[in-house]
Amino acid sequence: MVGLDEARHSLKADIAVRTEKLNLWYGTFQALFDVDFSVKRGIVTSLIGPSGCGKSTLLRCVNRINERFGYVRTEGKVDVLGHDIYAPQVDLTQVRSRVGMVFQRPNPLPVSVRKNILFAYQLHHGKQSSKAEADTIVEKALRDVLLWDDVKDRLDRLATGLSLEQQQKLCIARLLPVKPEVLLMDEPCSALDPKATETVEELIWNLRGDYTILIVTHNMAQARRASDECAFMLMGEMMEHRRTEDLFLTPTHQKTADYIEGRYG
Amino acid sequence: MFLATELNLQNYKVQGRWRLLFLVMTVLLILPVLVILTLLVVRGGGAISWEFLSEFPRNGMTEGGIFPAFLGTIFLVSLALVFSVPLGIAAAIYLSEYAADNWLTRAINLAIINLAGVPSIVHALFGVGAFVLFFKFGTSILAASLTLAIMALPVVIVATRESLQSVPQAFREACWSLGATRWQTIRRIVLPNAISGILTGIILEVSRTAGETAPIMFTGAAFFLPFLPESVYDQTMALSLHLFVVSTQVPNVPENLPYGVALLLIGIVLTMNALSIGFRVYLRNKKKW
C-alpha cells in the first residue's frame, strides 16, 4: 500500500501544485471558472493578467488563506504534492508550513528581526532547544535571502524599522526555516523601487530549484525576465500557460497577445 | 501680475469669518472648564489638608475629613474594575477576533454601543433589582461595584475593540499565512500592539466610574458611616455621594468643605486622565510600524 502510494507520488513528483475544475465565489460573485492549472516543481511560474482577473485569488487558494472570509465558497480540487489540500482531514497549519506566502506589501511582524525568523519555526516545531540552535536557524535563513550582512548587527531591533526591500527579504526568510515546498508570492515587488525590485527578483531566481515558486505580477517585464513558465488569466479563466518565452513570443490567444502588448490592462 | 482679484478678496473675507466663528466656539468650550477649576482651587483649596484626607467627618459632617469616603471610592472603583475588565476584554476579543461578521455580531455591537448610552440612573435601578434584591447582596459594596461594573462594561468593550481593530490586518494575515492559530496570533501579535489602547480605555473608565453617583446611591453608598466597611457586604461612603450630601442635604456646612470634596474628586479624575495620556505616549513610543 505504501509502495503504491510512493509510486503514485513519484509519478507526480514533477508537479508541485495542480488545480482541477477550480471554481470560487465571493458571495454571489464568481471569481474563478473551472481553472485547471499545474505548477511544475522547482521552477518559477508567473501568473499575469489584468486587475480583477483572479490571479491573486487563484494564488490564495493554494494555501487556503481565502477562507478567512466567511463568504468565500470554493469548489474543485487543489493538490499540493499530490494531496488534496481541501480534503476534510487536512490540517490548515500543516498546509501553511508546506506552502509559504509573501504578500504585496512587506508585512514583517512588529517584533525583532530574530523573532520574525523564529516565529513560524516555533509555531511548527515548538521552542527550539537552545540559543545556539536558534542563532543557527536565524543566520541560515538570513543568509539564504542575502540579508545576513545587512542585519546581522541589528537582529534584536524591530523588523518594521528596516527598509522595504529588507522587510520583503525578511518576509521570504521567515518562511524558510520550516522548509516549505511551495512559495506563493503576491506581487512581491510592487511596493519596491526599481533597484530593490531587481535584488528581490535576483533572490527569487536564486531560490528556484530549492523551492517551487508561484508569483503573481502586474509587471510583464518581470514575468518575462524572472520566470520559467507563465500563465495568463482573464476574467477568472486560465487562458494559456506555457514556457515564458513562448508565451511572450508566440501567444496562441489573441487576448494574450493584446494584453502583453499593452492594449489593455 | 499675481494681484488678488475681487473674488479672491471676497473668499478670504468669508474664510476669515468662519475662522473667527470656530475660534469663538473653542474659547466658549474651554472657558467653563477654566472657571470651574479656578473656582474649585480658590474656594476649596483651603480645605485640603492632611486632616481633611485622613480623618472621619465630625459634628454632623460639618467638620473633619473625608477619609471614609475617599477609601470607599477606591474600594468601589477597584472592585468594579475586577469585574468589568476581564469580562470586557474577553468579550471584545471574541467580538473582534473570532465572531463572524454577520447580522448577529453587528446587532450585538450596536446593542453594546447603546448600552454605553443608557443613563446611569437606569443602571442604578437595574442594580437595585438585580444585585440588591434578586441576588440578595443587600445595599453593599458588592452590589454597588457590580452596578458600576455593568455600567463600565460597554465602555471597556468598545475601547478594547477599537484598539484591537487599530492593529493592521496585515499582521494577522502574516501570522495566519505562517500557520498560526487565531489565539497564537492574538497572544503574540495583536494583544501586545493593542495593549496601550486597552489600558488607556480602562484608566479613562476608572476616572468616569469614580465620579458616578446615581448607580451607587441606591445600591451600596451610605449617607454617613462612623466606621470603615469590614467586608464587601457592608455599605461604604463614597466621594461623589458625599459631595452631594454636604452640598445639599446637611445644614450649616462651611462653604469650603463641599468645594474641597469637589476639588479632590476632580483631582483624582484629572490625575487618572493624565496618567492614561502619559502611559499611552510611553507605549506608543515603544512601538513602531
Side-chain angles (χ1 to χ4, degrees), chain A residues 60 63 65 68 93 96 99 101 103 107-111 119-120 122-124 158 160 174-175, chain B residues 169-182 184-185 188-189 193 286-289:
Chain A
R60 286 163 163 263
N63 70 346
I65 194 112
R68 72 191 188 287
T93 307
R96 287 168 188 172
V99 184
M101 181 148 194
F103 293 80
N107 58 356
L109 298 170
V111 292
F119 186 85
Q122 290 172 352
L123 290 179
H124 298 289
L158 270 181
T160 37
R174 72 181 171 193
L175 302 172
Chain B
Q169 195 62 19
F171 293 153
R172 293 187 185 84
E173 266 194 342
C175 281
W176 297 338
S177 77
L178 291 169
T181 61
R182 294 242 170 191
Q184 284 168 323
T185 307
R188 299 187 52 178
I189 301 300
N193 285 288
K286 271 191 19 180
K287 74 177 180 192
K288 246 185 260 138
W289 61 62

Side-chain angles (χ1 to χ4, degrees), chain B residues 218-246:
Chain B
F218 308 131
T219 52
F223 192 83
F224 173 71
L225 287 174
F227 44 79
L228 292 177
E230 284 174 352
S231 83
V232 292
Y233 295 105
D234 291 338
Q235 295 189 42
T236 180
M237 295 181 72
L239 273 184
S240 52
L241 184 64
H242 189 62
L243 175 59
F244 170 70
V245 167
V246 294

Side-chain angles (χ1 to χ4, degrees), chain B residues 27-40 266 270:
Chain B
V27 171
L28 280 180
L29 182 79
I30 296 169
L31 217 55
V33 180
L34 287 179
V35 170
I36 291 173
L37 279 180
T38 319
L39 212 66
L40 284 180
I266 226 171
L270 287 184

Side-chain angles (χ1 to χ4, degrees), chain B residues 163-213:
Chain B
S163 38
L164 290 175
Q165 282 168 0
S166 74
V167 176
Q169 195 62 19
F171 293 153
R172 293 187 185 84
E173 266 194 342
C175 281
W176 297 338
S177 77
L178 291 169
T181 61
R182 294 242 170 191
W183 172 242
Q184 284 168 323
T185 307
I186 295 166
R187 171 71 192 77
R188 299 187 52 178
I189 301 300
V190 180
L191 272 185
N193 285 288
I195 199 73
S196 64
I198 296 175
L199 288 175
T200 311
I202 290 169
I203 297 174
L204 285 177
E205 192 42 43
V206 169
S207 70
R208 230 177 65 108
T209 313
E212 281 296 342
T213 319

Side-chain angles (χ1 to χ4, degrees), chain A residues 28 35 59 62 70 110 152 182 184 200 236 242:
Chain A
T28 53
V35 173
L59 189 82
V62 183
K152 64 181 178 216
V182 181
L184 307 174
V200 172
R242 301 162 66 199

